[in-house]
Amino acid sequence: MSTSTVMNTVTNPATYALTDSWTMTRRELARWARQPVAVVVNLVFPVMLLLMFGYLVGGGRGVSGAYLDYLVPGMLALTMAFGLEGTMVAVTRDLEKGVVDRFRSLPMANSAVLVGRSAADMIQSALGLTVLIAVGYALGWRAQGGAGAFLGAVGLLLLFRFAMLWIGIFLALVAGKPELVQAVQILVWPVGFLSNAFATPEAMPGWLGTVVQWNPLSQTATAVRDLFGGPGGEPGHVWAAVAWPLALLALFFPLAVRRFGRLSR
Amino acid sequence: MTDAAITVEGVRKKYGSKDALDGLDLTVTRGTVHGVLGPNGAGKTTLVRILSTLLRPDAGRVEVAGHDVLTQAYAVRLRIGLLGQHAALDEELGGRQNLEMFGRLHHLGARRARARADELLARFDLTDTGRKPVGAYSGGMRRRLDLAASLITEPEVLFLDEPTTGLDPRGRAEVWDSVRSLVDGGTTVLLTTQYLEEADQLADRISVVDAGRVVADGTADELKAATGGDRVDVVLRDAGQLTTAAALLPLTGVRVDPDRRLLSAPVTDRMAALSGVVRALEVAGLEAEDVALRRPTLDEVFLHLTDRTKEAV
Ligand SMILES: Nc1ncnc2c1ncn2[C@@H]1O[C@H](COP(=O)(O)OP(=O)(O)OP(=O)(O)O)[C@@H](O)[C@H]1O
Ligand SMILES: [Mg+2]
């Protein structure tokens, strides 16, 4: 019996969008299982930043008290922002290795290539949040807003990550080459640090304070601080932390999808 | 249904202002191997990418397995296998994991995808290394796995873009064997190559491509015949006698290759030339190691054809 002419009544591969997306997500999980060290390093890096800033900026008094309450939400938001790098590296590598070409030549739902990528990255980010929050708890940080507010904060962080993810996919499809990825990786740092993740904008010179305040990362951090009931939060800021990522998504999601379609140009 | 597995008519593709394909025509009969032969930059990869729905042509008509690559891409993808010029695998995953993933993406279902992966690993002698990450494979193993991945559903039409570039002679022979057995199973194969021997060995018909066009088309024998007639080669025992022999033999346009102690000349009347040469050698008392009539090699054809187009430009 030949497997060739699979008696196929399906005429539109979109029918397979869910199955194929799951296959693509599983692929990423399998890759992690093969590289546990890389996964751990990824999870430990933000923890290291948290400890470092806690000690340095916290004035050597140890990581505790009010600054910790300010820092933990900031680090959570920063970790989500830095996720952009990971997405970009992964997409660029797949393009470079030609494996995306094989996917595109298969009778699969093409959307699954990007959906699988986002699902895997969101799982990883959720894991990253869990680890960082656990370390925060171990250091004595407490969320004070109740369960609903806690889940709301996590939701805002993941929404922010989701927006970063699609920016990452778009940039990878535009850049395409590892050298350009490096340039973006370097640029992610100032964007990450020109935010209120570590320090309040009030303590900065005027223009810098303005930049920092408008940084979408700051919007999310401020809203999350409010929901966690710590210092630096502003009531009602939640809407800005919803609006900004949605606006970014409205721009970058269609751009990324279009760019993916243009691989056949 | 026609007996053409691949039809390409007037296909053009520009990259910026550069014509990668400049009105290319090609027809491949079902169940045959078609060789696409061309130098670097001729447009071979561009053609394969268009045939396998990865790239949209700017103009022209392309049908694969009875379906239009632009309007029926999904139907085409159901029926093709692609071995790109460079490996298209997940290097961090194992060989078996790769094949299983591609099987699932062909919608074989988990169980059949696993079974098919094992079958292909066995067939390509990769069972022992199936668990190792592909990044640790040798070039030959990677190529075999890549080939296995393009055969998951026993495609009707298989595209191979320089399948043996970078392989050692054994790896090359293995790929050739696989291609032959596929063709016995009824698969249509289009393969690009820079190795003339490969086209000679595998292809039923050959298209010579240069600068985005087909400059010659036919069986290997037809191409050789079209390039010019037969040649006679004479190998002497003593290289010192080459010049004497060149002057003495009843031949014109003699080429001398001292390293191989070889005289070579074009001939029109094969038998008359052969007996003339043998008689002249006897009379002059020159000792020959070998006297042979031969067709031009594909290398000569290739150089001849691709050179001529350069002059025409
Ligand atoms: N993505 C691209 N962007 C710009 N130019 C391209 C691109 N791909 C191919 N070209 C150009 O188009 C022409 C045909 O390229 P193609 O890769 O099809 O040749 P090829 O016959 O496969 O060559 P090789 O034997 O080196 O693989 C070349 O001049 C190449 O430089
Ligand atoms: Mg090529």
Side-chain angles (χ1 to χ4, degrees), chain B residues 182-202:
Chain B
L182 281 166
V183 175
D184 291 341
T187 304
T188 307
V189 178
L190 179 137
L191 96 138
T192 78
T193 183
Q194 302 190 33
Y195 298 118
L196 308 131
E197 191 200 349
E198 186 158 286
D200 214 355
Q201 287 274 335
L202 291 177

Side-chain angles (χ1 to χ4, degrees), chain A residues 2-4 8 10-13 16 20 23-24 26-27 30-31 34-35 93 97-99 101-108 110 263-265, chain B residues 13 49 52-56 74 77-78 82 87-94 97 101-102 104-107 112 131 133 146 149-150 153-154:
Chain A
S2 152
T3 40
S4 73
N8 211 320
V10 175
T11 52
N12 185 351
Y16 296 114
D20 291 348
T23 304
M24 297 302 288
R26 278 175 45 119
R27 166 190 177 219
R31 295 169 61 97
R34 289 239 171 211
Q35 301 169 293
R93 181 208 52 218
K97 293 287 174 209
V99 70
D101 278 347
R102 188 177 288 291
F103 292 142
R104 289 173 57 235
S105 76
L106 295 180
M108 61 182 280
N110 272 344
L263 287 177
S264 62
R265 292 279 175 100
Chain B
K13 179 73 194 175
R49 290 178 66 83
S52 53
T53 75
L54 294 179
L55 201 64
R56 300 172 71 89
Y74 174 65
R77 288 173 188 162
L78 277 175
L82 168 65
L89 300 161
D90 187 321
E91 306 229 323
E92 269 96 44
L93 294 184
Q97 281 176 313
M101 167 177 71
F102 293 127
R104 282 168 180 267
L105 292 173
H106 273 287
H107 311 116
R112 271 178 69 205
R131 292 180 56 82
D146 212 13
S150 59
T153 53
E154 292 177 11

Side-chain angles (χ1 to χ4, degrees), chain B residues 222-237:
Chain B
E222 285 167 1
L223 287 177
K224 289 172 192 172
T227 306
D230 303 318
R231 302 186 73 88
V232 62
D233 285 356
V234 181
V235 180
L236 294 180
R237 193 140 286 168

Side-chain angles (χ1 to χ4, degrees), chain A residues 134-178:
Chain A
V135 171
Y137 259 76
L139 294 173
W141 168 78
R142 292 290 176 270
Q144 277 141 21
F150 184 90
L151 288 179
V154 169
L156 287 182
L157 288 165
L158 290 176
L159 176 66
F160 180 55
R161 174 68 180 97
F162 195 58
M164 291 296 118
L165 200 155
W166 285 94
I167 296 177
I169 292 177
F170 173 71
L171 290 178
L173 288 168
V174 171
K177 295 186 188 64

Side-chain angles (χ1 to χ4, degrees), chain B:
Chain B
M1 202 176 253
T2 66
D3 63 344
I6 302 174
T7 312
V8 178
E9 279 175 18
V11 163
R12 294 176 185 282
K13 179 73 194 175
K14 259 187 200 296
Y15 289 111
S17 62
K18 166 137 187 63
D19 284 308
L21 295 181
D22 186 17
L24 188 131
D25 300 303
L26 191 75
T27 308
V28 179
T29 310
R30 245 170 240 283
T32 64
V33 181
H34 196 98
V36 173
L37 201 59
N40 288 131
K44 303 182 295 295
T45 298
T46 306
L47 174 66
V48 168
R49 290 178 66 83
I50 287 175
L51 289 169
S52 53
T53 75
L54 294 179
L55 201 64
R56 300 172 71 89
D58 298 336
R61 194 173 72 91
V62 182
E63 264 185 26
V64 173
H67 297 273
D68 188 287
V69 291
L70 283 180
T71 57
Q72 299 169 299
Y74 174 65
V76 171
R77 288 173 188 162
L78 277 175
R79 293 166 175 83
I80 60 168
L82 168 65
L83 179 70
Q85 186 165 356
H86 304 288
L89 300 161
D90 187 321
E91 306 229 323
E92 269 96 44
L93 294 184
R96 191 172 187 276
Q97 281 176 313
N98 265 283
L99 294 180
E100 202 185 319
M101 167 177 71
F102 293 127
R104 282 168 180 267
L105 292 173
H106 273 287
H107 311 116
L108 295 185
R111 184 195 302 251
R112 271 178 69 205
R114 268 197 300 275
R116 185 68 180 144
D118 287 334
E119 232 172 271
L120 285 166
L121 286 175
R123 171 160 155 203
F124 286 95
D125 198 15
L126 291 165
T127 307
D128 293 343
T129 44
R131 292 180 56 82
K132 266 214 282 187
V134 172
Y137 279 27
S138 73
M141 285 160 63
R142 203 176 301 206
R143 207 61 182 147
R144 294 208 303 276
L145 184 68
D146 212 13
L147 183 58
S150 59
L151 297 178
I152 300 226
T153 53
E154 292 177 11
E156 261 177 77
V157 181
L158 179 65
F159 302 114
L160 306 172
D161 195 1
E162 300 196 22
T164 61
T165 299
L167 294 188
D168 62 15
R170 188 171 146 256
R172 187 167 305 170
E174 282 168 2
V175 171
W176 288 359
D177 283 346
S178 309
V179 172
R180 288 197 187 100
S181 70
L182 281 166
V183 175
D184 291 341
T187 304
T188 307
V189 178
L190 179 137
L191 96 138
T192 78
T193 183
Q194 302 190 33
Y195 298 118
L196 308 131
E197 191 200 349
E198 186 158 286
D200 214 355
Q201 287 274 335
L202 291 177
D204 299 307
R205 291 186 74 82
I206 297 170
S207 296
V208 181
V209 174
D210 193 28
R213 293 159 176 269
V214 174
V215 294
D217 199 313
T219 64
D221 281 342
E222 285 167 1
L223 287 177
K224 289 172 192 172
T227 306
D230 303 318
R231 302 186 73 88
V232 62
D233 285 356
V234 181
V235 180
L236 294 180
R237 193 140 286 168
D238 181 0
Q241 298 176 335
L242 279 172
T243 4
T244 330
L248 215 82
L249 294 177
L251 297 169
T252 49
V254 179
R255 242 180 28 215
V256 180
D257 181 347
D259 291 338
R260 290 156 65 198
R261 288 173 279 125
L262 171 78
L263 295 172
S264 173
V267 296
T268 37
D269 186 339
R270 292 161 53 92
M271 290 325 289
L274 190 58
S275 53
V277 166
V278 171
R279 216 172 309 121
L281 286 170
E282 246 173 32
V283 170
L286 295 170
E287 244 186 308
E289 233 166 46
D290 192 20
V291 178
L293 281 170
R294 65 170 179 87
R295 287 274 163 102
T297 64
L298 266 183
D299 278 288
E300 286 162 330
V301 176
F302 183 67
L303 290 173
H304 177 77
L305 286 168
T306 50
D307 258 8
R308 191 168 56 193
T309 42
K310 295 251 163 50
E311 281 159 23
V313 167

Side-chain angles (χ1 to χ4, degrees), chain A residues 89-153:
Chain A
V89 169
V91 174
T92 313
R93 181 208 52 218
D94 279 355
L95 288 170
E96 187 84 350
K97 293 287 174 209
V99 70
V100 171
D101 278 347
R102 188 177 288 291
F103 292 142
R104 289 173 57 235
S105 76
L106 295 180
M108 61 182 280
N110 272 344
S111 58
V113 176
L114 298 185
V115 176
R117 163 96 274 128
S118 9
D121 283 1
M122 291 308 290
I123 292 174
Q124 195 192 25
S125 299
L127 210 63
L129 285 183
T130 311
V131 169
L132 205 53
I133 288 173
V135 171
Y137 259 76
L139 294 173
W141 168 78
R142 292 290 176 270
Q144 277 141 21
F150 184 90
L151 288 179

